[in-house]
Amino acid sequence: MKILIADDSRVMRQIVLRTLRQAGFSSHDFVEAEDGLDALNKVGSEQPDLVLSDWNMPNMTGIELLRQLRANGNAVPFGFVTSEGSPEMRELAAAAGALFLIAKPFTADTFADALGAVLV
Amino acid sequence: MTIAVEPDLSLLEAVVAQVWTAMLSAESTPWAGTLPDDFTGPGARIRVTGDWSAEMVLATTDVGAHSLTRWLLRGDLVTGEDIEDALGEVLNVVAGSLKGALGGTSRLGLPMPGTERLADISSTPPHLTVSWGGEPVVLAVRPASPERSTP
């Protein structure tokens, strides 16, 4: 399966990648995007099975990305990996169609729990 | 829910300890040295707006910045852009955790790289200096100021 990781921080993309591998998802293919607009384009070109997106990004935020995907009729499974972990943000994420929101800082167990139900 | 609109030093210490453990696999031990009054170093700022409005700042030494970035990227060769990214992301996670602990409705801006002066960082509490690889990392919360807005 293919997972798209969207975060404007290359450091955080690397941390997410390492954590995914630690959580047991090393057999999947990974694609990186550096902001929401890049991710939107790569969802079209790469056809990922799951999008993991930061919230605050330049050019297009994560929530804008998710809303645009859904407006385009794209139902790709989507989860947030973000420092915005408040109840308000979780409600916004769920209302827009996100399956989960992983708050930073996170652990491999957190990823295993959140993604385990999605990547079967 | 009671909203604490201003973080104090104990909350900042608790949040930094959590982030150091989860993100840096280290304990946030207080840095035992003394920084010169004219200390300046690479760092980052991030603004929070909403029920809690403030600016958070992180600064460290050149050695600390390089070491932290190499560790986060698990590599030996890092660029200036990597360093700005790494410091900004550590600060982003600290600020997000602090915001979450306070409750209420607040939003994070994007972290901005910069050079920070100790006199500016430590001008208002809360602030603390913890160790990373034997180097000081200063973290502080200060009032949001128009003069410090994003260029």
Side-chain angles (χ1 to χ4, degrees):
Chain A
M1 303 185 81
K2 185 181 293 185
I3 302 174
L4 172 66
I5 300 167
D7 199 305
D8 56 313
S9 166
R10 185 173 85 91
V11 166
M12 184 49 64
R13 295 198 303 268
Q14 293 302 304
I15 294 174
V16 170
L17 273 169
R18 285 200 303 269
T19 306
L20 283 167
R21 291 178 177 130
Q22 291 165 6
F25 300 107
S26 57
S27 64
H28 299 296
D29 295 326
F30 301 104
V31 180
E32 296 181 45
E34 60 185 23
D35 59 40
L37 187 57
D38 188 27
L40 183 66
N41 292 331
K42 285 179 176 171
V43 167
S45 62
E46 297 285 342
Q47 301 287 303
D49 300 287
L50 173 67
V51 175
L52 295 177
S53 177
D54 189 13
W55 193 292
N56 293 317
M57 296 182 287
N59 298 322
M60 181 181 283
T61 66
I63 194 69
E64 291 170 342
L65 165 65
L66 174 55
R67 288 170 178 160
Q68 188 62 60
L69 286 170
R70 298 299 184 254
N72 293 347
N74 191 314
V76 61
F78 193 107
F80 284 101
V81 182
T82 173
S83 52
E84 297 276 18
S86 66
E88 179 206 10
M89 292 310 206
R90 291 179 184 275
E91 288 176 12
L92 284 173
L99 295 174
F100 55 83
L101 187 151
I102 294 172
K104 301 172 185 176
F106 44 74
T107 65
D109 287 343
T110 308
F111 271 82
D113 291 342
L115 274 66
V118 179
L119 298 176
V120 293
Chain B
M1 179 173 63
T2 300
I3 300 170
V5 296
E6 297 292 338
D8 58 17
L9 181 59
S10 63
L11 182 60
L12 181 59
E13 288 173 336
V15 165
V16 170
Q18 179 197 30
V19 174
W20 249 235
T21 298
M23 192 174 180
L24 304 180
S25 299
E27 288 191 31
S28 60
T29 55
W31 190 64
T34 303
L35 290 169
D37 292 341
D38 61 350
F39 168 80
T40 60
R45 304 172 189 170
I46 192 167
R47 299 197 71 169
V48 187
T49 54
D51 289 343
W52 175 46
S53 290
E55 184 176 72
M56 280 208 70
V57 182
L58 177 152
T60 183
T61 61
D62 287 329
V63 172
H66 276 82
S67 171
L68 184 67
T69 305
R70 284 197 301 271
W71 193 89
L72 285 171
L73 287 174
R74 301 295 197 270
D76 292 327
L77 296 177
V78 298
T79 65
E81 188 176 343
D82 290 335
I83 292 171
E84 290 179 352
D85 180 5
L87 298 183
E89 193 59 24
V90 171
L91 180 62
N92 180 44
V93 177
V94 171
S97 298
L98 193 57
K99 180 176 79 71
L102 287 174
T105 302
S106 303
R107 300 291 173 92
L108 290 173
L110 293 173
M112 299 298 295
T115 300
E116 300 296 333
R117 299 192 313 143
L118 180 64
D120 292 337
I121 299 168
S122 58
S123 59
T124 56
H127 54 86
L128 76 160
T129 305
V130 295
S131 182
W132 166 257
E135 295 293 314
V137 179
V138 186
L139 295 124
V141 180
R142 61 191 183 192
S145 166
E147 295 81 48
R148 300 193 183 100
S149 61
T150 305

